[in-house]
């Protein structure tokens, strides 16, 4: 089944399954009436009970990540031996009934180095939706060590994710079979199997997590962040949102413009797009990244392992390989074979960072020779599967959040009608992401809106950074977000680079602008261009 992506990878293959934080094609759609949205799409900012706002967190040494967070070992200390600390925070399951059932959200923090000049807590959301912030923050913390000079670095598992009342659907064994299914059906029989798979997955989610499903969307996550701000003792929210985290940050700014402190949105989701437009934009974005990979391979001459002297020739090799896999999967990992769907998924995963391009080249070359292990490992990372066959709840939460956010529900006929445009956008990803429009078609909970409202009149400047080579959140989304936030609020910065995101590229211009704002309050000039 297709899994669509709005979060970067990391530099080493060994880390793939621990840090892939990815998203589905409907990622730009948010929140439902179950979350208290008014008829015009602006949510009612319901008062939080005083007892929850006044709760005291009990910070303790962090345990190893749970299975739903992806497993692994407890995080290593920060530079200087500073330990990571973890806690849980109570929030209402339903903000419409704030005195009713409570759930607990998992938090992690690394304390600021300069306690005398500490600004507050800098809250991170690394994307997804569905990614565990508790596991991601220690993994990416070296990128943000300068910011820890004056901020406590804080992240969390949003509701429905990881340790925070996690959405659960199919078992690990069932997921192996589900992700191996053909996600680009070519015949009526394959279409039937495809839709039955979607229905079976939705039914499993309803059976295991039904009561929570109406409440896992983006508006409730934004409300949780405002409660978190209060519990952490900050008058304003200092925020760093990446990928889907930019949408969450935009929704927060819309709901609580006067509570925004200094905020940065990097790898920006276009808030004006519906599910179809977002998927088509991703299709074009991944195609652009693939073409850039092909050009890079050709520029290396004989060192490039792939056949062809033009991007089109390498693309033809890739589409030919995928066609062969559609007819006959090849050896993968253990008894598991590499299917066309998993290969496409693995290719998409490898385009999140230029550092992954060597793995893509090697994986395609090996698959051409009948060995699909590397592409399958990349696909597993996309799906949150570790080498022992255990799945995090990354994709379960991803689907649940996207489907309560987006009200669009596509039929087979509607999807078929859209496929020509998707195929034109990308011979490699068109069918894959086009059929992904049906991801919510069998979902048991209705969605709310076509796209979120992120207008934030009265909010302070919010930095909005777009990467011209970003595959998952195409560059145009940054300008759209800056405009949608409103005049004097969105401050756009352009980075001419590759991969998903900008700050963690190490580019001195981008990091200088962000650090100057977050640490010193210096607002960069709107329209700043970094190369």
């Amino acid at each position: 089944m297709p899994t669509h992506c709005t979060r970067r990878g990391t530099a080493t293959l060994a880390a793939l399954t621990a840090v892939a934080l990815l998203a589905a094609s409907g990622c730009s759609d948010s929140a439902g009436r179950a979350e208290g949205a008014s008829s015009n799409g602006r949510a009612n900012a319901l008062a939080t009970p005083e007892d929850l706002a006044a709760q005291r967190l009990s910070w303790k040494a962090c345990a190893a990540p749970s299975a739903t967070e992806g497993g692994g070992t407890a995080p290593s200390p920060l530079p200087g031996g500073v330990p990571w600390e973890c806690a849980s925070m109570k929030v209402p399951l339903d903000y419409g009934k704030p005195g009713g059932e409570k759930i607990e959200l998992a938090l992690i923090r690394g304390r600021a180095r300069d306690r005398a000049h500490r600004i507050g807590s800098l809250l991170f959301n690394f994307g997804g939706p569905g990614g565990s912030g508790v596991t991601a923050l220690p993994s990416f913390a070296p990128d943000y060590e300068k910011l820890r000079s004056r901020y406590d670095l804080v992240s969390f598992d949003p509701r429905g994710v990881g340790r925070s009342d996690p959405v659960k659907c199919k078992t690990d064994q069932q997921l192996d079979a589900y992700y191996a299914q053909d996600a680009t059906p070519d015949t009526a029989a394959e279409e039937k199997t495809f839709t039955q798979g979607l229905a079976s997955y939705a039914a499993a989610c309803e059976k295991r997590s039904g009561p929570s499903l109406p409440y896992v969307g983006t508006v409730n996550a934004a409300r949780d962040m405002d409660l978190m701000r209060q519990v952490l003792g900050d008058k304003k929210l200092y925020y760093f949102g990446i990928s889907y985290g930019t949408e969450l940050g935009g929704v927060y700014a819309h709901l609580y413009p006067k509570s925004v402190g200094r905020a940065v949105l990097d790898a920006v989701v276009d808030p004006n797009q519906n599910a179809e437009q977002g998927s088509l934009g991703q299709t074009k974005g991944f195609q652009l990244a693939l073409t850039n990979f092909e050009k890079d391979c050709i520029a290396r001459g004989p060192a490039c392992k792939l056949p062809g002297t033009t991007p089109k020739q390498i693309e033809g090799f890739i589409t030919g390989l995928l066609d062969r896999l559609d007819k006959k999967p090849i050896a993968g990992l253990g008894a598991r074979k590499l299917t066309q769907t998993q290969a496409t998924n693995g290719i998409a995963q490898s385009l999140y960072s230029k550092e992954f391009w060597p793995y893509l080249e090697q994986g395609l070359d090996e698959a051409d020779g009948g060995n699909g292990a590397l592409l399958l490992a990349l696909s597993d990372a996309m799906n949150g599967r570790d080498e022992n066959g255990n799945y995090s709840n990354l994709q379960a939460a991803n689907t649940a959040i996207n489907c309560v956010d987006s009200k669009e529900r596509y039929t087979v006929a509607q999807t078929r009608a859209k496929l020509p445009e998707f195929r034109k956008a990308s011979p490699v990803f068109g069918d894959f992401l086009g059929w992904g429009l049906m991801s919510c078609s069998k979902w048991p909970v209705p969605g709310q809106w076509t796209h979120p409202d992120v207008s934030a009149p009265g909010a302070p400047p919010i930095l909005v950074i777009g990467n011209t080579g970003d595959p998952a959140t195409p560059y145009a989304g940054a300008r759209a977000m800056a405009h949608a936030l409103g005049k004097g609020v969105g401050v756009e910065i352009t980075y001419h680079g590759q991969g998903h995101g900008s700050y963690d590229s190490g580019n001195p211009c981008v990091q200088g602008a962000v650090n100057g704002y977050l640490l010193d309050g210096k607002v960069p000039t709107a329209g700043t261009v970094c190369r």
Side-chain angles (χ1 to χ4, degrees), residues 351-369:
L351 295 174
Y352 274 81
S353 170
K354 191 173 182 179
E355 293 173 323
F356 270 19
W357 288 4
Y359 299 125
L360 175 56
E361 182 182 342
Q362 179 184 344
L364 289 169
D365 179 57
E366 291 179 354
D368 187 46

Side-chain angles (χ1 to χ4, degrees), residues 142-224:
D143 293 344
Y144 308 105
E145 181 61 18
K146 186 172 183 63
L147 297 174
R148 194 170 69 86
S149 62
R150 298 185 64 196
Y151 286 102
D152 293 344
L153 305 185
V154 178
S155 193
F156 64 109
D157 289 353
R159 55 174 61 215
V161 176
R163 291 183 196 265
S164 300
D165 193 31
V167 174
K168 297 179 181 179
C169 298
K170 289 182 174 287
T171 66
D172 292 340
Q173 188 175 9
Q174 290 171 333
L175 287 173
D176 275 346
Y178 180 70
Y179 290 130
Q181 290 178 11
D182 190 344
T184 56
D186 304 306
T187 66
E190 289 180 353
E191 286 178 3
K192 182 178 180 180
T193 300
F194 175 70
T195 56
Q196 287 176 338
L198 293 174
S200 173
Y201 188 84
C205 298
E206 184 175 28
K207 181 178 180 180
R208 298 183 69 185
S209 300
S212 297
L213 295 182
Y215 306 107
V216 297
T218 301
V219 160
N220 273 344
R223 290 184 177 132
D224 292 340

Side-chain angles (χ1 to χ4, degrees), residues 76-393:
S76 300
L78 288 150
V82 177
W84 288 99
E85 300 173 316
C86 288
S88 60
M89 185 186 83
K90 287 181 168 38
V91 299
L93 173 65
D94 179 359
Y95 275 91
K97 300 176 181 178
E101 182 180 351
K102 308 296 188 296
I103 59 175
E104 293 191 347
L105 305 185
L107 281 73
I108 187 169
R109 78 173 176 188
R111 301 187 74 187
R113 296 194 307 273
D114 186 350
R115 307 301 296 172
H117 299 93
R118 176 182 174 275
I119 297 171
S121 297
L122 181 61
L123 188 63
F124 287 82
N125 182 284
F126 292 95
S132 165
V134 172
T135 58
L137 183 57
S139 297
F140 299 124
D143 293 344
Y144 308 105
E145 181 61 18
K146 186 172 183 63
L147 297 174
R148 194 170 69 86
S149 62
R150 298 185 64 196
Y151 286 102
D152 293 344
L153 305 185
V154 178
S155 193
F156 64 109
D157 289 353
R159 55 174 61 215
V161 176
R163 291 183 196 265
S164 300
D165 193 31
V167 174
K168 297 179 181 179
C169 298
K170 289 182 174 287
T171 66
D172 292 340
Q173 188 175 9
Q174 290 171 333
L175 287 173
D176 275 346
Y178 180 70
Y179 290 130
Q181 290 178 11
D182 190 344
T184 56
D186 304 306
T187 66
E190 289 180 353
E191 286 178 3
K192 182 178 180 180
T193 300
F194 175 70
T195 56
Q196 287 176 338
L198 293 174
S200 173
Y201 188 84
C205 298
E206 184 175 28
K207 181 178 180 180
R208 298 183 69 185
S209 300
S212 297
L213 295 182
Y215 306 107
V216 297
T218 301
V219 160
N220 273 344
R223 290 184 177 132
D224 292 340
M225 290 203 307
D226 198 60
L227 178 57
M228 207 171 296
R229 170 190 66 77
Q230 298 173 66
V231 172
L232 291 170
D234 290 329
K235 292 183 178 180
K236 301 286 186 178
L237 180 75
Y238 302 100
Y239 181 73
F240 202 130
I242 302 157
S243 196
Y244 162 79
T246 66
E247 177 178 305
L248 177 57
V251 170
Y252 179 90
H254 173 68
L255 294 177
Y256 306 102
K258 300 298 185 182
S259 295
V260 176
R262 301 170 189 169
V264 175
L265 308 181
D266 185 5
V268 185
V269 173
D270 189 330
N272 298 327
Q273 293 182 333
N274 61 22
E276 178 189 337
Q277 293 165 332
S279 288
L280 187 59
Q282 277 199 336
T283 304
K284 295 174 181 177
F286 278 107
Q287 181 62 38
L288 173 63
L290 183 63
T291 300
N292 290 337
F293 157 77
E294 293 161 350
K295 289 178 179 177
D296 179 79
C297 204
I298 290 166
R300 292 188 289 107
C304 178
K305 299 176 182 178
L306 304 182
T309 57
T310 68
K312 279 295 181 186
Q313 289 175 345
I314 293 182
E315 184 178 279
F317 158 73
I318 294 172
T319 56
L321 173 64
L322 293 174
D323 287 342
R324 297 202 311 271
L325 290 171
D326 190 29
K327 297 178 177 67
K328 186 178 181 180
I330 60 174
L333 294 166
R336 298 164 62 228
K337 292 184 178 295
L338 176 73
T339 65
Q340 180 196 46
T341 295
Q342 290 162 326
T344 309
N345 208 37
I347 294 169
Q349 162 70 353
S350 64
L351 295 174
Y352 274 81
S353 170
K354 191 173 182 179
E355 293 173 323
F356 270 19
W357 288 4
Y359 299 125
L360 175 56
E361 182 182 342
Q362 179 184 344
L364 289 169
D365 179 57
E366 291 179 354
D368 187 46
N371 177 6
L374 184 49
L375 286 183
L376 185 53
L378 287 160
S379 180
D380 285 347
M382 180 77 88
N383 292 329
R385 186 189 195 273
D386 69 19
E387 60 186 6
N388 298 315
N390 302 313
Y391 285 87
S392 72
N393 89 315

Side-chain angles (χ1 to χ4, degrees), residues 35-46:
E35 303 197 317
S38 67
S39 59
N40 66 2
R42 176 183 265 278
N44 302 316
L46 299 177

